[in-house]
Amino acid sequence: KTTQSLSAAFTMLLRFWQGSKDPNVMISSMEALGNMCWVIPKDIFLSNSDALLELLVTLLTRQVSSVHGLTHVRLMRGFCLLLQACIDADPEMLLLENSLQAVTSALFAWVVSMGPLQCLQGSLRTEIMQSHEEVLRCFEVLCGAFRKQIIGFLLQRLKGGREEKLGALLILRSLVGCSTLVRPRPVTIVQGILHLTGDADTAVGLLL
């Protein structure tokens, strides 16, 4: 009975989220759905995971422009839980219909919008810093299952504009320094950042 109740609540909450246009309601729903992914039956989760991922990426993309005006810790915490649940259930689902690319791009845009250098210096307000930590956890989760794709994505962004460089360096620093088994091979990272060693931008130097 408990499992049936949780499954029904998950389905109802997902439908409620799909029909809502209130960002605060959607963010609260995401946190709840992220936690529920771990306790509902696998078949219920898998049957709804595609729709959940699509909705979440859309919400993340919309919120990037207003990241400094709202608190998104709950949203990112729920997103991280959902990603881990997807990977545990069937990582291949993230390789369908460019889902991995969409998720990675949305998370990276979030990092860039928050200001990579300010995040490194800890000069942003507490709520934004907490959100930043959750975003880095999302990259850690993704790198655990898709190391080659995530590292390749970040190294490619090192060839972009200033903010993209700083964002990619900030995430790579986090992945190299993490204490889990997802740590990327240092040789790959070193080879990818060699062209930045002569960069005159002091912010790039701080992040190297």
Side-chain angles (χ1 to χ4, degrees):
K1 289 184 177 180
T2 301
T3 300
Q4 291 177 345
S5 298
L6 287 170
S7 299
F10 179 86
T11 303
M12 183 176 66
L13 186 57
L14 180 58
R15 289 176 181 172
F16 179 69
W17 185 29
Q18 290 173 315
S20 176
K21 295 183 180 180
D22 185 335
N24 290 320
V25 171
M26 297 173 74
I27 288 171
S28 297
S29 299
M30 183 60 248
E31 183 181 25
L33 288 166
N35 283 283
M36 293 176 72
C37 288
W38 294 88
V39 294
I40 62 172
K42 183 177 179 179
D43 60 327
I44 298 295
F45 171 69
L46 289 174
S47 65
N48 290 283
S49 58
D50 288 343
L52 194 53
L53 274 173
E54 183 179 351
L55 284 168
L56 186 52
V57 170
T58 300
L59 178 58
L60 283 173
T61 302
R62 288 177 180 174
Q63 294 302 311
V64 165
S65 61
S66 60
V67 69
H68 291 290
L70 293 173
T71 300
H72 301 292
V73 180
R74 293 172 299 156
L75 172 62
M76 298 316 305
R77 186 178 296 126
F79 193 13
C80 193
L81 289 169
L82 171 63
L83 287 177
Q84 188 64 69
C86 286
I87 289 170
D88 287 351
D90 181 11
E92 294 297 318
M93 73 172 69
L94 285 168
L95 297 177
L96 300 175
E97 299 181 2
N98 295 317
S99 293
L100 180 61
Q101 179 69 28
V103 168
T104 307
S105 296
L107 288 170
F108 184 74
W110 192 290
V111 172
V112 171
S113 294
M114 284 190 291
L117 184 59
Q118 290 85 347
C119 288
L120 176 68
Q121 296 171 335
S123 59
L124 299 174
R125 58 192 176 91
T126 302
E127 294 89 348
I128 298 298
M129 291 303 300
Q130 290 175 340
S131 177
H132 167 69
E133 291 299 323
E134 293 297 334
V135 175
L136 293 182
R137 286 192 186 93
C138 288
F139 273 103
E140 183 177 333
V141 168
L142 288 171
C143 194
F146 308 105
R147 180 183 304 179
K148 182 178 179 180
Q149 293 94 324
I150 297 302
I151 297 302
F153 174 91
L154 295 172
L155 293 180
Q156 186 64 35
R157 293 307 178 277
L158 291 178
K159 301 175 183 178
R162 181 177 187 268
E163 291 303 311
E164 285 201 345
K165 286 181 186 177
L166 297 181
L169 284 172
L170 184 64
I171 298 167
L172 286 169
R173 278 173 60 103
S174 174
L175 293 176
V176 170
C178 70
S179 59
T180 67
L181 296 177
V182 303
R183 186 177 299 172
R185 294 181 179 180
V187 174
T188 303
I189 303 299
V190 171
Q191 290 176 342
I193 66 174
L194 276 178
H195 69 286
L196 296 177
T197 55
D199 199 303
D201 190 336
T202 56
V204 171
L206 286 173
L207 284 162
L208 284 175

